[in-house]
Amino acid sequence: MENEELQQWIEQVSLDHFGVPFTHEALFNSRLTTTGGRYMLKSHRIEINPHQLEAYGRDEVEKIIKHELCHYHLHIRGRGYQHRDPEFKALLQKVGGSRYCQSLPDGKGRKPLPYRYKLVCKSCGTEYLRKRKIDPKRYRCGRCAGKLGLQNI
């Protein structure tokens, strides 16, 4: 499916389920990895993850489109468009959109960071594994309150 087809599809879903036309740009964004789609507040553009279409088909992507259109139409009208807003939740349930998208198979989502650092207590030898580098001078051992040393793994 190309961006032109997606544009027409979103325009049709907007008319069918919301009764209001979608008048902005819609396109696929293959760089999206952990989300099914997103609505851009400033440009009013909707971006859809093409990997969701490949993995789960049109029905699941239509639910994602409805979700993003809820953001769009509520934001355009100056209503509560955020996930926590009751208006958003009510409209999403009314049109049958999905609250969350399904995780992508084959590891196309976010990959966990490996442990790259180890903090070692200089007094008791307790080890703490860390994914991100931290300043050991700012912390103490949780067991004996000794000083910590940083090592690369």
Side-chain angles (χ1 to χ4, degrees):
M1 179 180 285
E2 298 294 323
N3 285 333
E4 294 80 25
E5 292 176 74
L6 177 67
Q7 180 77 34
Q8 292 172 355
W9 186 15
I10 290 179
E11 289 172 1
Q12 191 61 45
V13 169
S14 181
L15 286 173
D16 293 346
H17 295 278
F18 296 87
V20 182
F22 174 73
T23 58
H24 291 86
E25 184 183 20
L27 50 91
F28 283 112
N29 184 346
S30 60
R31 293 184 314 270
L32 297 177
T33 56
T34 60
T35 184
R38 66 180 175 183
Y39 166 64
M40 311 300 280
L41 292 174
K42 290 184 180 178
S43 65
H44 304 295
R45 181 173 64 202
I46 290 178
E47 297 178 352
I48 300 295
N49 185 342
H51 304 299
Q52 289 283 334
L53 183 62
E54 295 167 10
Y56 300 111
R58 291 180 65 94
D59 290 338
E60 195 62 34
V61 172
E62 186 162 322
K63 292 177 185 177
I64 294 169
I65 289 171
K66 289 176 184 176
H67 178 105
E68 301 309 327
L69 283 171
C70 286
H71 288 300
Y72 172 79
H73 289 299
L74 289 170
H75 182 249
I76 293 290
R77 286 190 247 147
R79 309 296 293 258
Y81 62 89
Q82 295 179 343
H83 291 128
R84 66 176 180 247
D85 293 324
E87 293 172 318
F88 176 82
K89 291 178 183 178
L91 183 60
L92 188 64
Q93 188 171 14
K94 179 183 171 189
V95 298
S98 63
R99 186 88 164 104
Y100 305 101
C101 70
Q102 295 184 30
S103 296
L104 290 169
D106 302 329
K108 289 187 178 180
R110 183 176 291 165
K111 295 188 176 31
L113 290 174
Y115 290 115
R116 297 179 4 194
Y117 302 98
K118 181 172 27 172
L119 292 168
V120 180
C121 176
K122 294 179 180 178
S123 298
C124 68
T126 302
E127 297 180 353
Y128 303 95
L129 295 176
R130 293 289 178 260
K131 294 181 180 186
R132 295 183 181 171
K133 190 173 184 177
I134 66 167
D135 182 9
K137 294 176 192 159
R138 298 184 64 204
Y139 300 93
R140 292 292 188 140
C141 176
R143 181 174 288 167
C144 71
K147 292 185 178 183
L148 299 173
L150 183 66
Q151 298 175 356
N152 289 338
I153 297 179

